[in-house]
Amino acid sequence: STQPKHRKVDEVASYIIDHYDKALSLEIIAAHFYVNKCYLSRIFKEASGFTVNEYINMIRIRRARELLSNTSMSITEVSVGYETITYFERVFHQYTQTSPSGYRKQYTI
């Protein structure tokens, strides 16, 4: 859409894709784009169907899946963006119904 708020959501989504490996949160992103976090949260969900956090996790897990199946990087190296390996493993399991090591065994070419 060409609505200004949808353009903002596109910008935010692109920012998340480009910076998924950094510390990201609704607060950090809202501050980066000089918008109120409640406003950003509302328009992002409205336009994308996902919360900002869900989108961050989706991008991170998609990248982790690529790395797990195409590289020999350790699970710790693949877990970029997450504060702890434990939290990464929990989120990974939530999105894939398997552990990172189980995913690697199943999908390594």
Side-chain angles (χ1 to χ4, degrees):
S1 173
T2 55
Q3 289 182 8
K5 68 181 178 182
H6 286 182
R7 280 198 305 271
K8 181 63 69 185
V9 169
D10 287 345
E11 289 173 30
V12 169
S14 292
Y15 181 82
I16 291 169
I17 291 167
D18 292 342
H19 298 88
Y20 74 92
D21 56 340
K22 310 281 187 287
L24 288 177
S25 67
L26 176 61
E27 291 77 11
I28 290 168
I29 295 167
H32 179 81
F33 285 94
Y34 303 101
V35 295
N36 177 284
K37 70 179 186 174
C38 295
Y39 172 74
L40 176 59
S41 178
R42 187 170 45 80
I43 66 166
F44 197 91
K45 176 80 174 180
E46 206 176 274
S48 72
F50 302 105
T51 67
V52 170
N53 245 15
E54 286 170 339
Y55 191 76
I56 292 168
N57 282 329
M58 284 174 20
I59 297 302
R60 286 177 175 167
I61 298 305
R62 183 178 71 192
R63 183 67 180 137
R65 289 167 61 182
E66 290 169 8
L67 294 172
L68 286 168
S69 56
N70 298 315
T71 73
S72 59
M73 290 171 72
S74 72
I75 291 170
T76 304
E77 291 172 308
V78 168
S79 70
V80 292
Y82 291 98
E83 288 185 27
T84 66
I85 188 79
T86 309
Y87 183 60
F88 165 70
E89 289 176 336
R90 190 172 340 135
V91 174
F92 190 92
H93 190 274
Q94 189 181 343
Y95 281 80
T96 64
Q97 282 66 59
T98 188
S99 67
S101 56
Y103 186 89
R104 171 169 272 155
K105 283 184 191 116
Q106 193 175 354
Y107 292 100
T108 300
I109 299 168

